[in-house]
Amino acid sequence: MMHEWNDLANEFRNDQRRAQILAQTQGPGLEYASEGNADRIRNSGRALLDTLESREDYCRAMARKFESALGKYATVEDVNSTQIKQTGGTL
């Protein structure tokens, strides 16, 4: 599951590269309408970029939580296995 979260985070990272293009949009002309439209596109691109960054951060945090939980589970499993073997039991 940890790998899936990291894969999803990587997809959000790739999308951020594309959103950068929107955030840097320039108007096709010098007239007011062109610059006004470009400004709106830049604002949308920045908002999209912020959202994608927060989604990537969330996915990376979830991957770390899964990694931590997996490590704790493995430790508990080892301890329990050792205890069972010490009592003469089998798994």
Side-chain angles (χ1 to χ4, degrees):
M1 190 68 168
M2 174 183 56
H3 297 292
E4 287 88 358
W5 281 110
N6 278 319
D7 289 346
L8 186 56
N10 291 337
E11 288 181 38
F12 283 124
R13 172 61 58 110
N14 290 336
D15 291 341
Q16 289 172 44
R17 291 184 193 111
R18 294 180 197 106
Q20 279 287 354
I21 294 168
L22 291 175
Q24 297 171 355
T25 298
Q26 298 297 315
L30 297 177
E31 71 276 356
Y32 176 76
S34 291
E35 188 51 41
N37 286 334
D39 188 47
R40 287 179 186 246
I41 293 170
R42 281 192 300 271
N43 290 338
S44 294
R46 284 186 211 111
L48 177 59
L49 191 55
D50 289 344
T51 299
L52 293 170
E53 287 171 351
S54 67
R55 298 297 189 271
E56 179 192 3
D57 292 344
Y58 175 82
C59 290
R60 300 272 183 224
M62 291 302 293
R64 285 190 299 274
K65 287 179 182 181
F66 270 93
E67 184 176 29
S68 176
L70 183 59
K72 290 175 185 176
Y73 175 80
T75 300
V76 169
E77 186 70 19
D78 288 343
V79 168
N80 290 339
S81 176
T82 301
Q83 289 175 349
I84 289 172
K85 289 178 183 174
Q86 286 175 349
T87 62
T90 60
L91 294 178

